[in-house]
Amino acid sequence: MRVLSRLAASAALLIGTATAASAAGPDVAPVQQQGLNVTAIVIFVAFVLLTLYITYRAAITTRSAGDFYAAGGSISPLQNALAIAGDFMSAASFLGISGLVFSSGFDGLIYSIGFLVGWPIVLFLIAERLRNLGRFTFADVASFRLAQGPIRTLAAVGTLVVVAFYLIAQMVGAGQLIQLLFGLDYLYAVVIVGVLMIVYVAFGGMKATTWVQVIKACLLLVGATLLALAVLVHYGFNVNAMFADAIAIHPKGDAIMAPGGFVKDQVSTISLGLALMFGTAGLPHILMRFFTVRDAKAARKSVFYATGFIAYFYILTFVIGFGAITYLMPNASFFKVAADGHYNKITDLIGGANMPAIHLSNAIGGSLFLGFISAVAFATILAVVAGLTLSGASAISHDLYASVIARGRSTEAREVRLSKISAILIGIVAIYLGYVFQKQNVAFMVGLAFAVAASCNFPVLLMSIMWRGTTTTGALVGGLLGLVSAVVMVILSKAVWVTTFGHPAALFPYDNPALFSMPLAFAGIWIVSTLDKSKRAMAERAAFDAQFVRSETGIGASVAQAH
């Protein structure tokens, strides 16, 4: 039970940091160093040794900027799909959604759907066009017919803001997680994460990052599958029998099979949905993955397969959530029991509402399975931070230095060298900030990252591809409006203004700003572009036809990649 207790605290923290897109999340409470979890350490060390070997192999085959940024376009659609899924299927999704199903039943699906529905948008609006027009970063696409300097600078700023907030939250969560799961000091834990992140990116580039994400995705899918299979085998694969047991055991009875009653603030929920759907299409480390495949057809297949993996994963969390109801609720050893022997089956679960999957792994497979799930959770964070670091380093070296500062006069070798240096610096800064923010509430940062991606990166990218009238000035004004408004609204929301700064009331009443900041960005782009009658604007509109043909057909894509 001690193991469960420390896992409870760690998982609660992980959820707090990584699911902040949906809510501000709980405070990062002070934690105490725990004893060594040998099983988890052994499994995690095996994961690290394997990924370091892969990094070594990737390093000796990485020779060009194309190899470093995009794995030379050598990743197959299936491999890329697993890497995308590995980037997207967080441990927070695994623990948080199964926890919601455990406490609310059918209503828990609202988050699964929210995470999943963003992928058709990526599939139909972004993937192929991105691959046909771009080379290494989404700024390549956004600036295709617009002025390189201002658009790339805006894209780089949007990328670095997303990376910074996302990375801090992940570093704090990872440090606390290792401290609790493996019994290491917080500082050592953060340093381990930072050093591994630097090694993966600086030496292995996109190839190593891809394989870290592929392995992590496989581990997470295997872990979730085993959990769900164990539940289904117990019921002879009779799902109705499982549901019947869950209804009989759960305090809410039949209500767990019906929707409604979960959503309290409809505006925040709609805003959350927008951030989840469109933020996914604006996350720079996700968008970079479409340049790792050979062509647009492979990019489309990647998204199609990845959507299947992600949908399968969320179905598993649904089974795990209901399985946890039937396994855990009748067993008092998983709950905080009062002196009179009573306990609340929903609120008294040890570690809180996000712990059902962890408890279920212990109930089904004992300490060995518990250690495996713990190692998977940490591997998940490593995969995400590696992708974020590579994205940030690419924004500095490719978008800012090579395209804006050097204006195309740099060599590939110098650009890659700067990218590696940037990765090292980002890693060092991340270690420092992870240490500084150890006891701070950083849950809002992931929400802010999603909001900025949906309100700055996505509108600029989509409007530059889809609307002839988009001009440099319009994209710049609209992108900045989305970026600034999203940041300001999050700061004035309860998550930061009240919880972090200690003010008595929030100045912005909703948890997520996307419902307001996204329209501001799109309106800014449309209004300013429409009013822009400059010669440059006319030339940019005239260049739309060539861009459109190339984005839809891929004709001339090799030329496009050289701009």
Side-chain angles (χ1 to χ4, degrees), residues 233 447 460:
V233 167
V460 171

Side-chain angles (χ1 to χ4, degrees), residues 263-281:
V263 177
K264 297 178 181 177
D265 179 358
Q266 294 183 347
V267 173
S268 290
T269 302
I270 294 172
S271 195
L272 159 69
L274 290 175
L276 293 179
M277 285 188 289
F278 298 106
T280 300

Side-chain angles (χ1 to χ4, degrees), residues 29 40 61 165-166 190 382 401 430 456 511 549:
T61 58
F165 288 117
Y166 215 140
V190 171
L382 268 182
Y401 171 72
C456 176
D511 292 330
V549 170

Side-chain angles (χ1 to χ4, degrees), residues 190-525:
V190 171
V191 170
I192 288 173
V193 174
V195 169
L196 285 174
M197 176 177 76
I198 290 171
V199 170
Y200 290 148
V201 176
F203 292 96
M206 181 56 87
K207 288 182 181 177
T209 301
T210 296
W211 282 106
V212 170
Q213 292 165 343
V214 168
I215 294 171
K216 170 256 170 164
C218 293
L219 288 174
L220 191 57
L221 286 171
V222 168
T225 300
L226 290 176
L227 266 179
L229 272 180
V231 172
L232 293 175
V233 167
H234 177 72
Y235 283 98
F237 289 92
N238 186 344
V239 179
N240 288 333
M242 181 184 72
F243 288 150
D245 263 5
I247 292 171
I249 294 170
H250 202 285
K252 296 181 180 177
D254 290 342
I256 63 172
M257 299 305 296
F262 184 75
V263 177
K264 297 178 181 177
D265 179 358
Q266 294 183 347
V267 173
S268 290
T269 302
I270 294 172
S271 195
L272 159 69
L274 290 175
L276 293 179
M277 285 188 289
F278 298 106
T280 300
L283 291 175
H285 62 295
I286 296 290
L287 297 178
M288 279 192 74
R289 295 235 49 90
F290 299 118
F291 304 117
T292 64
V293 293
R294 184 185 57 201
D295 52 28
K297 183 180 179 181
R300 185 177 64 244
K301 284 184 177 179
S302 298
V303 183
F304 182 75
Y305 295 154
T307 305
F309 288 132
I310 294 166
Y312 170 69
F313 171 72
Y314 286 133
I315 291 172
L316 295 180
T317 61
F318 190 61
V319 175
I320 291 168
F322 272 96
I325 293 173
T326 62
Y327 269 85
L328 305 181
M329 285 193 174
N331 191 336
S333 64
F334 293 104
F335 294 85
K336 293 174 285 187
V337 182
D340 60 1
H342 290 88
Y343 62 90
N344 187 310
K345 293 180 179 178
I346 298 176
T347 60
D348 285 343
L349 188 68
I350 294 175
N354 296 315
M355 285 303 295
I358 296 294
H359 287 305
L360 184 62
S361 69
N362 188 46
I364 290 175
S367 59
L368 181 63
F369 199 25
L370 196 62
F372 173 72
I373 294 297
S374 302
V376 168
F378 182 52
T380 294
I381 292 180
L382 268 182
V384 174
V385 296
L388 287 168
T389 303
L390 181 59
S391 176
S394 302
I396 294 172
S397 61
H398 180 64
D399 294 329
L400 286 181
Y401 171 72
S403 301
V404 177
I405 298 174
R407 298 185 179 184
R409 295 189 294 270
S410 177
T411 64
E412 278 199 0
R414 184 180 302 170
E415 186 179 327
V416 171
R417 187 162 57 248
L418 178 62
S419 192
K420 292 181 177 181
I421 295 172
S422 301
I424 295 172
L425 292 176
I426 289 173
I428 293 172
V429 172
I431 291 171
Y432 174 73
L433 293 178
Y435 180 70
V436 169
F437 280 85
Q438 176 184 358
K439 296 181 180 179
Q440 301 297 316
N441 179 9
V442 297
F444 68 92
M445 291 186 178
V446 177
L448 181 56
F450 265 81
V452 170
S455 306
C456 176
N457 298 352
F458 175 70
V460 171
L461 181 62
L462 186 69
M463 293 292 273
S464 67
I465 294 175
M466 304 295 289
W467 186 44
R468 176 191 302 274
T470 303
T471 67
T472 296
T473 307
L476 193 60
V477 172
L480 286 175
L481 270 176
L483 173 65
V484 174
S485 61
V487 172
V488 170
M489 290 178 195
V490 169
I491 290 175
L492 299 181
S493 70
K494 181 183 176 183
V496 180
W497 197 250
V498 176
T499 306
T500 303
F501 293 158
H503 294 286
L507 299 179
F508 180 70
Y510 306 110
D511 292 330
N512 198 292
L515 181 61
F516 308 94
S517 54
M518 280 185 65
L520 276 175
F522 278 106
I525 294 172

